């Protein structure tokens, strides 16, 4: 008795888990043709309660029979296997390979997928939410000839748009040694590009996993690519994409999967222009073209692709040194792309690079591209503990601070590399007072642009790097302030604090006829030492006098004035967590002026005091003579009596070593003239009070009574201990001043200022 050509059954199971799960509608097409046509919804949705409903069709077929699913209601959009379509119907399609179920995909409405062809049977599940009533399934099944592969998915584009598709069983592994194909129907006036979003590869014993493109008109069909290659772009017309698996290792099969995107858009003018980037003579220059941060939009956004040789396109392309590259762009707006480049300068032998210099300029190969340059970085490498670096800008630099931010189209980000921690020196832009930045170890200089106007200002950029003998400070800044303009400076690693046991110096030049005002913006440095001590040294470069301040307990110095070039050096301890060393200060120049009023008052006051003293002496002499006449006369002759006029010291027969004329009582100027200098803006010491008042007014130079500094100092004898060994008391300010031995080269960094007076921890 012959079996029927097609057997169909449908049974209502009932309500399960707040949804109606209907028994699969089965069809056996193994014995012959099975023209099912449109799949009916049985029972009709109107007879079911208002719950989520699932209709399932399971069609069996021979291995050599191909079945085709058509979606007439709406083209479908593929989603993840665990996702559901919240506002519409959800289609799940699967098939079998040797009796094992394989998930082809989960689909929602409003996409590009129009047909799915499978072999060896198909199972379709349609899930309708409770609020959606539909009288037809919108799915039809027909049979046809063998497709000689696991499945074929057809995707149709009628205009610009994109589609995201996934391999079978995604995100699980694609079946072993199987072939899957996607067919794309593209209007002739549009261009298509493929991007791989996610993929992984299995462990192959035989064959090789790959993707193949069949592009009409190509002379090399099929074009074979590895999954890690840049995929084709700028393709005109229809094309096919196939994924081929391999024979996997039975012990360790691995996982083959693929998720990709097809972007279809109009061609643009730049797609017909080719740019040549010649890096054949470069050895360490890498140029990367990548997209900027994407703009959030609900509308279709055309992609931006960089194409090599007009065919291999990708959103990210890196041009390697030693080759010549031909670029074209498939992009509606090139401002959505930018360039990031990196070049390495390596000093491997000290004798070859000592005192040699290199210009850090953006090469023409980068500037000729129609894209914004985002970053260009130079990695500067030197032999450890043998060489250091000096950066000299074409124009003096300004450090970016909150008080005076950079407003130029570009800036330099400078960082150094320490064995245990990177040291971010700061961001710098043209138009300031910093003439040189010296870095102890390897350094990285990054030129970062902020606007397209950099192309017009490119001539103002430029740094020169020189290799110097090794020095011990982390960095040294050479600063020459401009007149009437504040220079704001702050210590490296501002947000994280200066690294432990490191030191930084600022060499601040004061031109002749000028006075520099040094002001700290905070009352204290903020550091709390766990071990060691943190301190600051201010050194006058002409008189070589130094003042040492503790940065842990003391209040930072109040505004002070320097008539000569000076050093500011800070040295860090091992700080406690959260109590890092941050120093922020500014320097301002103003012309030296002489306050005639103060001088006149001082002269008149001094003359009056002198007359008063002379009058007192005369009165005392007269009184003494009167008392002498009251006693009995003594006839003693004194042959050593002085008969010369007073005030003529050269007539005294008594020598300097035999008299007390060279002994003076030390009277500080503030005790004598302090009340007269209150309004002169003098930097002489004032009585200390318990309340800290930050400097708010304009900074004017002091007018001391004489040219020589009257700042109280304390000279350290050779047998006295170093400053760090002196006893400390709470809130005690200690200030030392002592000259250095011999001359000091202000530009010499071989012997850092810090290590000339290196503090030591007290014993015990």
């Amino acid at each position: 008795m012959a079996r029927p050509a097609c057997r169909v059954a449908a049974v209502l199971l009932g309500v399960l888990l707040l949804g109606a799960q209907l028994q699969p509608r089965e069809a056996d097409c193994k014995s012959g043709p099975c023209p099912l046509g449109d799949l009916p919804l049985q029972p009709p949705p109107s007879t079911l309660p208002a719950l989520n409903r699932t209709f399932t069709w399971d069609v069996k077929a021979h291995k050599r029979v191909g079945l085709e699913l058509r979606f007439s209601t709406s083209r479908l959009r593929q989603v993840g296997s665990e996702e559901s379509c919240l506002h519409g119907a959800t289609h799940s399609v699967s098939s079998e390979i040797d009796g094992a179920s394989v998930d082809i995909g989960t689909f929602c409405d409003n996409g590009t997928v129009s047909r799915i062809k499978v072999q060896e049977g198909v199972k379709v599940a349609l899930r309708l939410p409770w609020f959606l009533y539909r009288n037809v399934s919108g799915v039809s099944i027909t049979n046809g000839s063998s497709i000689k592969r696991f499945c074929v998915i057809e995707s149709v584009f009628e205009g610009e748009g994109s589609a995201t598709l996934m391999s079978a069983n995604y995100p699980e592994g694609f079946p072993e040694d199987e072939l899957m194909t996607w067919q794309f129907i593209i209007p002739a006036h549009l261009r298509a590009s493929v991007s791989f979003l996610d993929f992984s590869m299995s462990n192959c014993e035989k064959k090789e996993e790959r993707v193949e493109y069949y592009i009409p008109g190509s002379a090399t069909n099929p074009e074979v690519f590895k999954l890690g290659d840049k995929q084709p772009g700028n393709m005109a017309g229809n094309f096919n994409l196939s994924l081929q698996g391999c024979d996997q290792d039975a012990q360790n099969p691995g996982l083959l999967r693929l998720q990709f995107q097809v972007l279809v858009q109009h061609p643009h003018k730049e797609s017909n222009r080719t740019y040549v980037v010649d890096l054949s003579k470069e050895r360490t220059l890498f140029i990367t073209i990548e997209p900027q941060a994407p703009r959030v939009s609900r509308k279709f956004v055309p992609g931006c692709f960089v194409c090599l040789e007009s065919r291999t396109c990708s959103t990210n392309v890196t041009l390697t040194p030693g080759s010549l590259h031909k670029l074209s762009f498939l992009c509606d707006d090139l401002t959505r792309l930018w360039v990031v480049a990196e070049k390495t300068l390596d000093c491997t032998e000290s004798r070859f690079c000592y005192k040699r210099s290199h210009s850090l300029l953006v090469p023409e190969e980068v500037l000729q591209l129609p894209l914004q340059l985002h970053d260009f970085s130079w990695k500067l490498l030197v032999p450890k503990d043998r060489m250091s670096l000096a950066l000299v800008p074409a124009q003096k630099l300004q450090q970016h601070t909150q008080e005076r931010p950079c407003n130029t189209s570009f800036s330099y980000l400078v960082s150094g590399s320490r064995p245990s921690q990177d040291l971010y020196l700061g961001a710098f832009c043209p138009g300031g007072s910093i003439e040189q930045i010296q870095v102890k170890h390897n350094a990285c200089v990054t030129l970062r642009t902020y606007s397209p106007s950099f192309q017009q200002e490119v001539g103002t950029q430029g740094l020169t790097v020189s290799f110097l003998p090794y020095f011990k400070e982390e960095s040294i800044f050479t600063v020459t302030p401009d007149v009437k303009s504040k220079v704001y400076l702050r210590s490296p690693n501002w947000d994280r604090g200066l690294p432990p046991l490191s030191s930084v110096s600022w060499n601040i030049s004061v031109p002749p006829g000028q006075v520099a005002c040094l002001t700290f913006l905070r009352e204290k440095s903020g550091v709390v030492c766990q071990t060691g001590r943190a301190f600051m040294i201010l050194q006058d470069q002409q008189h070589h006098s130094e003042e040492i301040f503790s940065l842990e307990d003391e209040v930072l110095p109040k505004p002070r004035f320097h008539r000569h070039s000076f050093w500011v050096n800070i040295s860090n301890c091992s700080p406690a967590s959260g109590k890092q060393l941050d120093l922020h200060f500014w320097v301002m120049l103003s012309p030296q002026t002489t306050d005639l009023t103060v001088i006149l008052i001082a002269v008149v006051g001094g003359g009056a005091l002198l007359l008063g003293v002379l009058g007192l002496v005369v009165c005392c002499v007269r009184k003494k003579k009167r008392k002498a006449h009251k006693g009995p006369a003594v006839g003693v002759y004194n042959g050593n009596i002085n008969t010369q006029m007073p005030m003529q010291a050269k007539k005294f027969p008594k020598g300097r070593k035999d008299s007390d004329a060279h002994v003076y009582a030390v009277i500080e100027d503030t005790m004598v003239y302090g009340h007269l200098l209150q309004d002169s803006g003098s930097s002489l010491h004032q009585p200390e009070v318990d309340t800290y008042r930050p400097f708010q007014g304009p900074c004017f130079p002091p007018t001391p009574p004489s040219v020589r500094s009257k700042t109280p100092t304390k000279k350290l004898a050779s047998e006295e201990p170093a400053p760090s060994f002196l006893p400390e008391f709470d809130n005690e300010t200690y200030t030392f001043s002592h000259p250095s031995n011999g001359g000091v080269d202000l530009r010499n960094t071989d012997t850092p200022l810090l290590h000339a007076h290196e503090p030591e921890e007290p014993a015990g």
Side-chain angles (χ1 to χ4, degrees):
M1 182 175 180
R3 298 180 57 187
C6 204
R7 177 170 49 87
V8 178
V11 179
L12 176 63
L13 295 180
V15 179
L16 297 175
L17 299 177
L18 299 179
Q21 181 71 31
L22 306 181
Q23 185 174 358
R25 181 181 175 88
E26 297 181 351
D28 188 355
C29 303
K30 292 184 178 181
S31 59
C34 186
L36 292 177
D38 294 336
L39 300 181
L41 296 179
Q42 293 292 338
S46 58
T47 62
L48 298 176
L51 297 172
N52 296 336
R53 293 140 293 162
T54 301
F55 298 89
T56 304
W57 298 268
D58 191 357
V59 180
K60 306 295 184 181
H62 196 273
K63 289 184 178 181
R64 293 187 299 271
V65 175
L67 297 176
E68 180 180 300
L69 297 178
R70 289 180 177 269
F71 306 97
S72 57
T73 304
S74 173
R75 295 194 182 111
L76 304 183
R77 172 176 55 91
Q78 188 171 7
V79 296
S81 58
E82 301 299 327
E83 298 182 46
S84 61
C85 309
L86 299 179
H87 304 292
T90 302
H91 299 76
S92 296
V93 182
S94 61
S95 183
E96 291 185 357
I97 297 179
D98 297 331
S101 177
V102 178
D103 180 30
I104 294 177
T106 302
F107 302 88
C108 299
D109 294 336
N110 300 322
T112 62
V113 176
S114 59
R115 292 191 299 174
I116 297 178
K117 299 177 182 180
V118 295
Q119 196 155 306
E120 197 178 348
V122 65
K123 184 175 182 179
V124 181
L126 174 62
R127 291 188 290 273
L128 298 177
W130 64 270
F131 55 84
L132 181 62
Y133 289 92
R134 180 184 290 184
N135 295 324
V136 295
S137 66
V139 181
S140 64
I141 299 181
T142 60
N143 63 342
S145 59
S146 173
I147 59 176
K148 299 182 179 179
R149 61 200 66 208
F150 171 63
C151 71
V152 177
I153 297 178
E154 182 183 78
S155 181
V156 179
F157 290 84
E158 294 181 352
E160 289 188 321
S162 65
T164 300
L165 298 164
M166 289 156 267
S167 58
N169 267 355
Y170 187 89
E172 303 300 327
F174 186 69
E176 181 180 9
D177 195 23
E178 285 293 335
L179 179 64
M180 181 176 180
T181 299
W182 292 266
Q183 293 179 340
F184 296 97
I185 310 301
I186 311 293
H189 66 283
L190 300 179
R191 299 291 183 268
S193 300
V194 177
S195 299
F196 284 4
L197 305 179
D198 176 52
F199 70 89
S200 63
M201 302 175 64
S202 58
N203 298 317
C204 298
E205 284 188 343
K206 296 180 181 179
K207 303 181 182 179
E208 184 180 11
E209 296 170 340
R210 63 191 184 274
V211 289
E212 298 179 354
Y213 290 86
Y214 182 83
I215 305 173
S218 174
T220 58
N221 280 327
E223 296 187 14
V224 180
F225 292 82
K226 296 181 180 179
L227 274 70
D229 293 340
K230 302 295 183 182
Q231 302 303 309
N234 201 21
M235 294 178 288
N238 305 334
F239 70 96
N240 293 352
L241 167 62
S242 298
L243 174 64
Q244 175 67 63
C246 66
D247 292 334
Q248 300 174 354
D249 184 354
Q251 301 298 326
N252 184 21
L255 195 68
L256 172 62
R257 64 182 180 187
L258 174 63
Q259 182 187 41
F260 65 97
Q261 182 186 61
V262 176
L263 191 63
V264 177
Q265 59 192 29
H266 290 284
H268 305 283
K269 295 180 180 179
E270 290 295 336
S271 62
N272 297 324
R273 182 175 177 180
T274 300
Y275 296 87
V276 178
V277 180
D278 188 3
L279 302 182
S280 57
K281 297 182 180 179
E282 295 287 346
R283 294 294 176 266
T284 61
L285 175 59
F286 293 83
I287 300 175
T288 299
I289 301 174
E290 62 185 19
Q292 300 188 35
R295 303 186 181 103
V296 179
S297 176
R298 295 183 178 181
K299 297 181 179 180
F300 167 73
V301 178
C304 275
F305 293 93
V306 185
C307 302
L308 296 175
E309 303 295 339
S310 300
R311 176 52 60 84
T312 304
C313 301
S314 176
T315 55
N316 291 269
V317 171
T318 297
L319 309 181
T320 56
S323 302
L324 186 143
H325 306 274
K326 295 182 179 180
L327 304 179
S328 61
F329 299 95
L330 181 62
C331 184
D332 66 323
D333 184 6
L334 289 180
T335 61
R336 296 167 56 194
L337 297 174
W338 61 24
V339 178
V340 176
E342 179 181 290
K343 185 172 184 178
T344 302
L345 293 177
D346 191 357
C347 171
T348 56
E349 293 291 338
S350 302
R351 65 179 183 272
F352 293 140
C353 55
Y354 176 64
K355 290 187 176 180
R356 295 183 61 183
S357 60
H358 300 271
S359 295
L360 305 185
L361 296 173
V362 179
E364 186 62 28
E365 300 296 331
V366 174
L367 297 175
Q368 58 107 12
L369 294 174
L371 307 173
Q372 178 186 348
L373 172 64
H374 178 53
D375 280 350
F376 195 107
S377 300
W378 291 270
K379 288 188 174 181
L380 309 176
L381 308 180
V382 294
K384 183 180 179 181
D385 298 339
R386 295 172 60 188
M387 299 292 291
S388 295
L389 299 164
L391 302 173
V392 180
Q395 295 183 0
K396 290 194 295 185
L397 300 176
Q398 166 197 332
Q399 186 171 13
H400 175 83
T401 62
Q402 183 177 1
E403 295 75 15
R404 182 164 295 174
C406 290
N407 57 3
T408 55
S409 63
F410 71 96
S411 64
Y412 293 101
L413 312 181
V414 183
S415 60
S417 177
R418 305 177 75 243
S420 58
Q421 179 183 359
D422 289 338
L423 182 68
Y424 178 62
L425 301 181
F428 306 88
C429 57
S433 301
I434 300 176
E435 293 183 339
Q436 187 183 68
I437 302 174
Q438 295 172 249
V439 187
K440 175 181 178 181
H441 296 292
N442 299 336
C444 180
V445 179
T446 299
L447 185 148
R448 175 165 295 175
T449 67
Y450 303 101
S451 69
S453 62
F454 169 74
Q455 295 289 346
Q456 286 74 41
E457 301 178 15
V458 67
T460 62
Q461 60 96 20
L463 279 176
T464 299
V465 58
S466 302
F467 298 93
L468 303 176
Y470 178 76
F471 54 83
K472 295 185 179 180
E473 287 171 289
E474 297 298 335
S475 60
I476 301 174
F477 298 87
T478 302
V479 184
T480 301
D482 293 329
V483 179
K484 296 297 183 179
S485 178
K486 290 183 181 180
V487 180
Y488 289 90
L489 300 167
R490 63 186 188 184
S491 55
N493 273 21
W494 175 253
D495 297 330
R496 295 170 290 168
L498 195 66
L501 306 177
S502 61
S503 63
V504 179
S505 290
W506 290 266
N507 178 11
I508 301 176
S509 299
V510 180
Q514 301 290 323
V515 175
C517 177
L518 172 65
T519 303
F520 296 91
L521 273 72
R522 293 192 301 181
E523 180 180 355
K524 289 190 175 184
S525 66
V527 67
V528 175
C529 293
Q530 187 172 5
T531 58
R533 300 180 63 186
F535 58 92
M536 175 177 64
I537 300 177
L538 301 180
Q539 184 193 57
D540 186 292
Q541 296 184 9
Q542 179 168 331
H543 298 123
H544 311 308
S545 60
E546 295 179 355
E547 295 178 275
I548 305 177
F549 303 89
S550 171
L551 295 178
E552 184 176 10
D553 302 320
E554 287 188 8
V555 173
L556 292 173
K558 295 182 180 180
R560 56 186 54 230
F561 301 91
H562 296 268
R563 296 177 177 269
H564 311 105
S565 300
F566 62 99
W567 287 93
V568 177
N569 173 273
I570 58 173
S571 297
N572 199 12
C573 57
S574 293
S577 177
K579 302 294 182 180
Q580 304 298 320
L581 175 56
D582 297 319
L583 201 65
H584 196 184
F585 60 94
W586 57 261
V587 180
M588 182 177 178
L589 292 181
S590 56
Q592 290 187 11
T593 57
T594 304
D595 194 337
L596 296 179
T597 303
V598 175
I599 293 179
L600 290 175
I601 293 176
V603 171
V604 172
L609 180 62
L610 180 59
L611 291 177
V613 172
L614 290 177
L616 182 61
V617 171
V618 171
C619 291
C620 291
V621 172
R622 289 182 177 179
K623 186 176 181 180
K624 186 175 182 180
K625 287 184 177 181
R626 291 175 182 175
K627 289 182 179 181
H629 287 296
K630 292 181 180 182
V634 180
V636 179
Y637 174 75
N638 186 1
N640 293 327
I641 188 171
N642 181 18
T643 61
Q644 303 296 327
M645 292 290 293
M647 302 302 294
Q648 296 181 2
K650 61 181 180 178
K651 299 298 183 178
F652 281 109
K654 191 174 184 179
R656 175 178 173 85
K657 66 179 181 178
D658 300 323
S659 69
D660 295 331
H662 64 288
V663 179
Y664 297 88
V666 178
I667 303 177
E668 294 197 13
D669 294 338
T670 55
M671 303 297 295
V672 178
Y673 304 110
H675 66 290
L676 300 176
L677 301 178
Q678 293 292 336
D679 300 327
S680 64
S682 173
S683 64
L684 297 176
H685 292 289
Q686 302 295 332
E688 296 184 0
V689 295
D690 293 334
T691 302
Y692 174 78
R693 296 183 176 89
F695 185 77
Q696 300 293 342
C699 187
F700 297 104
T703 310
S706 63
V707 177
R708 299 182 61 87
S709 175
K710 297 296 183 177
T711 305
T713 59
K714 176 181 178 181
K715 296 185 178 181
L716 298 178
S718 58
E719 64 273 7
E720 290 182 350
S724 59
F725 284 86
L726 295 177
E728 293 185 20
F729 301 92
D730 293 338
N731 301 323
E732 180 182 2
T733 302
Y734 54 95
T735 302
F736 305 96
S737 176
H738 54 85
S740 303
N741 296 328
V744 177
D745 184 3
L746 301 183
R747 300 285 181 170
N748 181 16
T749 60
D750 295 344
T751 305
L753 173 65
L754 168 65
H755 295 276
H757 304 278
E758 185 173 357
E760 300 178 3
E761 296 185 14

